[in-house]
Amino acid sequence: IEPGQLPTDLQQERAWDLAVGTSVNHDYSVGARGGCDKDKNFYLVDVNRGRRTWAAQKQLIVALARSEKGRIGVEAVSAFQIAADELRSELAGEASVKPMKVNTSKEARFTGWGSLIELGKFFIVRGNWNEAFVNELADFPGSPHDDQVDAVSLLYELTRKRQALVMAFSGPDDDEDEPLSGFHGIHGHQSSGSGGLHTSVAQRFFR
């Protein structure tokens, strides 16, 4: 879709799947931005992807957080818990930083938003990042890099939890260390699957 087709009241957030390093052998750091509307349509608005030193990556994350104003999620596993802590300190009083733990496979985390593709409830905003994202998704889980898919999985979990929180009127978000569970479809129940199923979902849509 075009940028002007986004719902005017869409609340957007950005989630980061981090990596450190600048050589061609390193993974990418990816920040995916978007949100869900009241009808549970999921909009992917922007994907920022690059190989950077931590100093450069931190500077970019902080700059985007200050300009975009929405909450950000950061995958806080292993050494990246320190990165999440640094970002919370840097952005204190300016933006909410939510560390996100992961305890399921990449394929499981993909299931929740991947199911929206076939249902026609997943939209990407036209941009120069589209081709790289679509190519990675079409080959997932066998693509050489899956950082964009991982970042969107983080974003979907971030926005899904916010929606549930708002609908339940349960007060402040207190699940900062709750792990990503995966297998969340649009109806909120758990589903199962295999890597072959996830591959076919992407390939049927994009190939």
Side-chain angles (χ1 to χ4, degrees), residues 14-113:
R14 188 181 287 274
W16 288 94
D17 178 69
L18 296 177
V20 176
T22 58
S23 78
V24 295
N25 296 321
H26 285 105
D27 289 331
Y28 292 89
S29 284
V30 178
R33 179 169 170 81
C36 291
D37 67 12
K38 58 182 176 57
D39 297 317
K40 298 185 180 179
N41 295 304
F42 185 43
Y43 298 86
L44 184 58
V45 177
D46 179 66
V47 173
N48 183 291
R49 177 176 182 248
R51 293 186 176 103
R52 308 176 181 95
T53 64
W54 170 236
Q57 185 63 54
K58 178 181 175 182
Q59 184 178 30
L60 174 65
I61 293 173
V62 169
L64 285 175
R66 287 171 173 163
S67 65
E68 293 171 346
K69 305 300 183 184
R71 183 172 62 156
I72 67 173
V74 179
E75 184 177 359
V77 295
S78 188
F80 293 115
Q81 176 63 58
I82 298 174
D85 291 341
E86 286 187 17
L87 290 168
R88 294 179 92 175
S89 177
E90 184 78 18
L91 291 165
E94 298 180 83
S96 173
V97 178
K98 178 179 176 59
M100 304 180 73
K101 300 290 180 66
V102 172
N103 67 355
T104 56
S105 69
K106 297 172 183 289
E107 292 86 354
R109 299 196 302 274
F110 164 77
T111 301
W113 61 274

Side-chain angles (χ1 to χ4, degrees), residues 4 17 46 61 66 76 83 97 119-121 173 176 183 188 207:
D17 178 69
D46 179 66
I61 293 173
R66 287 171 173 163
V97 178
L119 294 171
K121 298 179 75 67
D173 189 353
E176 290 183 347
F183 296 107
R207 291 303 192 197

Side-chain angles (χ1 to χ4, degrees), residues 158-190:
L158 187 69
T159 59
R160 185 187 66 81
K161 285 185 176 181
R162 179 187 55 77
Q163 274 199 324
L165 187 73
V166 171
M167 291 177 66
F169 298 99
S170 59
D173 189 353
D174 60 359
D175 63 345
E176 290 183 347
D177 294 321
E178 181 181 340
L180 272 66
S181 55
F183 296 107
H184 291 286
I186 61 167
H187 301 297
H189 62 270
Q190 290 190 337

